[in-house]
Amino acid sequence: MSSNCLFCKIAAGDIPAEKLYEDDDMLAFRDIAPQAPVHFLVIPKKHIQDPAAISAEDEALMGKMMRVGSQVAGENGITDFRLVFNNGADAGQTVFHIHMHVLGGRSLSWPPG
Ligand code: AMP
């Protein structure tokens, strides 16, 4: 746990979130500012700053994020969805605890702006 990290605090239960899935090492919760009818985040409870900071020992955890995100998408009624990781401020990252956005429930344009 990183002491000043918003998502570590959500993972620890110190800040409330609308949880969709939780187990020992992972959490999915609704984004507070949804950009699509279904928009939630999947985070590992372990503090990893961003995709660039993923180490070899985290590979299974990262694969699990994709499986859990896709599974929770299905449980929330969407079969077509986008999985997004932002790495760094210029890419749109605002919270520096790795998270995967899951977006769906409307038609999504490509490429992103
Ligand atoms: P990013 O811009 O990729 O770093 O994404 C961070 C996301 O976290 C944004 O979509 C925010 O709306 C979302 N967010 C920030 N604070 C909270 C919170 N307390 N609960 C849920 N989502 C949050």
Side-chain angles (χ1 to χ4, degrees):
M1 168 147 178
S2 179
S3 57
N4 218 13
C5 170
L6 172 64
F7 286 177
C8 282
K9 289 177 181 164
I10 287 177
D14 295 339
I15 290 178
E18 192 179 339
K19 295 178 186 176
L20 299 176
Y21 174 88
E22 182 168 20
D23 65 22
D24 286 348
D25 52 20
M26 199 145 292
L27 183 65
F29 56 97
R30 290 195 194 279
D31 197 291
I32 204 168
Q35 302 301 311
V38 177
H39 183 186
F40 62 90
L41 306 173
V42 184
I43 64 167
K45 292 187 174 177
K46 174 183 178 181
H47 183 81
I48 299 169
Q49 178 173 295
D50 53 31
I54 296 169
S55 65
E57 71 176 24
D58 299 322
E59 285 176 0
L61 193 59
M62 295 300 107
K64 183 175 170 183
M65 283 178 80
M66 298 180 74
R67 179 180 65 75
V68 166
S70 300
Q71 194 173 304
V72 174
E75 289 165 5
N76 282 270
I78 52 172
T79 54
D80 297 6
F81 50 87
R82 186 171 292 169
L83 307 179
V84 176
F85 287 86
N86 294 325
N87 188 96
D90 277 355
Q93 188 176 6
T94 58
V95 178
F96 291 87
H97 177 127
I98 194 168
H99 51 280
M100 185 178 75
H101 295 261
V102 183
L103 298 135
R106 66 170 169 83
S107 183
L108 299 167
S109 61
W110 188 264

